[in-house]
Coordinates of all heavy atoms in Angstrom, one line a residue:
I95 N 0.8 -1.2 0.0 CA 0.0 0.0 0.0 C 0.9 1.2 0.0 O 1.6 1.5 0.9 CB -0.9 0.0 1.2 CG1 -1.9 -1.2 1.2 CG2 -1.8 1.3 1.3 CD1 -2.7 -1.4 2.4
M96 N 0.8 2.0 -1.1 CA 1.5 3.3 -1.1 C 0.7 4.4 -0.5 O -0.5 4.5 -0.7 CB 1.9 3.6 -2.6 CG 2.6 2.5 -3.3 SD 4.3 2.3 -2.7 CE 4.1 0.9 -1.6
A97 N 1.4 5.3 0.2 CA 0.7 6.4 0.8 C 0.1 7.3 -0.2 O -1.0 7.9 0.0 CB 1.6 7.2 1.7
K98 N 0.7 7.4 -1.4 CA 0.3 8.3 -2.4 C -0.7 7.5 -3.3 O -0.4 6.4 -3.8 CB 1.5 8.7 -3.3 CG 1.2 9.7 -4.4 CD 2.5 10.1 -5.0 CE 2.2 11.1 -6.2 NZ 3.5 11.5 -6.8
T99 N -1.9 8.0 -3.5 CA -2.9 7.4 -4.3 C -3.1 8.0 -5.7 O -3.8 7.5 -6.5 CB -4.2 7.3 -3.6 OG1 -4.7 8.6 -3.2 CG2 -4.1 6.4 -2.3
T100 N -2.5 9.2 -5.9 CA -2.5 9.8 -7.2 C -1.1 9.8 -7.7 O -0.2 10.2 -7.0 CB -3.1 11.3 -7.2 OG1 -2.3 12.0 -6.3 CG2 -4.5 11.3 -6.7
Y101 N -0.9 9.4 -9.0 CA 0.4 9.2 -9.5 C 0.7 10.1 -10.6 O -0.2 10.6 -11.3 CB 0.5 7.7 -10.0 CG 0.2 6.7 -8.9 CD1 -1.0 5.9 -9.0 CD2 1.0 6.6 -7.8 CE1 -1.3 5.0 -8.1 CE2 0.6 5.7 -6.8 CZ -0.5 4.9 -6.9 OH -0.9 4.0 -6.0
R102 N 2.0 10.3 -10.9 CA 2.4 11.2 -11.9 C 2.0 10.6 -13.3 O 2.3 9.5 -13.6 CB 3.9 11.4 -11.9 CG 4.5 12.3 -12.9 CD 5.9 12.7 -12.6 NE 6.5 13.6 -13.5 CZ 7.6 14.3 -13.3 NH1 8.3 14.0 -12.2 NH2 8.1 15.1 -14.2
K103 N 1.4 11.4 -14.1 CA 0.9 11.0 -15.4 C 1.8 11.7 -16.5 O 2.3 12.8 -16.3 CB -0.6 11.4 -15.6 CG -1.5 10.7 -14.7 CD -2.9 11.2 -14.9 CE -4.0 10.4 -14.2 NZ -3.8 10.3 -12.8
G104 N 1.9 11.1 -17.6 CA 2.7 11.6 -18.7 C 2.4 11.0 -20.0 O 1.6 10.0 -20.1
T105 N 2.9 11.5 -21.1 CA 2.8 11.0 -22.4 C 4.2 11.1 -23.1 O 4.8 12.1 -23.0 CB 1.8 11.8 -23.3 OG1 0.6 11.8 -22.5 CG2 1.6 11.1 -24.6
T106 N 4.6 10.0 -23.7 CA 5.9 10.0 -24.4 C 5.8 10.8 -25.7 O 4.7 11.1 -26.2 CB 6.4 8.6 -24.8 OG1 5.5 8.1 -25.8 CG2 6.3 7.7 -23.6
A107 N 7.0 11.2 -26.2 CA 7.1 11.7 -27.5 C 7.0 10.5 -28.5 O 6.8 9.4 -28.0 CB 8.4 12.5 -27.7
G108 N 7.1 10.7 -29.8 CA 7.1 9.7 -30.7 C 8.2 8.6 -30.6 O 9.3 9.0 -30.1
G109 N 7.9 7.4 -30.9 CA 8.9 6.3 -30.8 C 8.3 5.1 -31.4 O 7.3 5.1 -32.1
T110 N 9.1 4.0 -31.2 CA 8.7 2.7 -31.8 C 8.3 1.7 -30.8 O 8.9 1.6 -29.7 CB 10.0 2.1 -32.6 OG1 10.4 3.1 -33.6 CG2 9.6 0.8 -33.3
F111 N 7.2 0.9 -31.1 CA 6.7 -0.2 -30.3 C 7.5 -1.5 -30.6 O 7.6 -1.8 -31.8 CB 5.2 -0.4 -30.5 CG 4.4 0.8 -30.1 CD1 3.0 0.8 -30.4 CD2 4.9 2.0 -29.6 CE1 2.2 1.8 -30.1 CE2 4.1 3.0 -29.3 CZ 2.7 3.0 -29.6
N112 N 7.9 -2.2 -29.6 CA 8.5 -3.5 -29.8 C 7.7 -4.5 -28.9 O 7.4 -4.2 -27.8 CB 10.0 -3.5 -29.3 CG 10.8 -4.6 -29.8 OD1 10.6 -5.0 -31.0 ND2 11.6 -5.2 -29.0
F113 N 7.4 -5.6 -29.5 CA 6.6 -6.7 -28.9 C 5.4 -6.1 -28.2 O 5.2 -6.3 -27.0 CB 7.5 -7.4 -27.8 CG 8.7 -8.1 -28.4 CD1 10.0 -7.7 -27.9 CD2 8.6 -9.0 -29.4 CE1 11.1 -8.3 -28.4 CE2 9.8 -9.6 -29.9 CZ 11.0 -9.3 -29.4
P114 N 4.6 -5.4 -29.0 CA 3.3 -4.9 -28.4 C 2.3 -5.9 -28.2 O 2.0 -6.7 -29.1 CB 2.9 -3.8 -29.5 CG 3.4 -4.4 -30.8 CD 4.7 -5.1 -30.4
H115 N 1.8 -6.0 -27.0 CA 0.6 -6.8 -26.6 C -0.5 -5.9 -26.1 O -0.7 -5.7 -24.9 CB 1.0 -7.8 -25.5 CG 2.2 -8.7 -25.9 ND1 2.0 -9.9 -26.6 CD2 3.5 -8.6 -25.8 CE1 3.2 -10.5 -26.9 NE2 4.1 -9.7 -26.3
L116 N -1.2 -5.3 -27.1 CA -2.1 -4.3 -26.8 C -3.6 -4.7 -27.0 O -4.5 -4.1 -26.5 CB -1.8 -3.0 -27.6 CG -0.4 -2.4 -27.3 CD1 -0.1 -1.3 -28.4 CD2 -0.4 -1.8 -25.9
L117 N -3.8 -5.7 -27.8 CA -5.1 -6.3 -28.1 C -5.4 -7.5 -27.3 O -6.5 -7.8 -26.9 CB -5.2 -6.6 -29.6 CG -5.1 -5.4 -30.5 CD1 -5.1 -5.8 -32.0 CD2 -6.1 -4.3 -30.2
E118 N -4.3 -8.3 -27.0 CA -4.4 -9.5 -26.1 C -3.3 -9.4 -25.1 O -2.2 -8.7 -25.3 CB -4.2 -10.7 -27.0 CG -5.3 -10.9 -28.1 CD -6.7 -11.1 -27.5 OE1 -6.8 -11.5 -26.3 OE2 -7.7 -10.9 -28.2

């Protein structure tokens, strides 16, 4: 249990996906 319940959010710049498992 972490005392902090809201976490830092972000978005990367452009890049390449390797071994993506995004649908399954």
Side-chain angles (χ1 to χ4, degrees):
I95 300 173
M96 302 293 99
K98 183 178 179 180
T99 56
T100 57
Y101 306 112
R102 183 169 184 166
K103 295 176 171 59
T105 308
T106 69
T110 304
F111 299 173
N112 197 41
F113 302 121
H115 300 274
L116 299 169
L117 301 175
E118 300 293 338

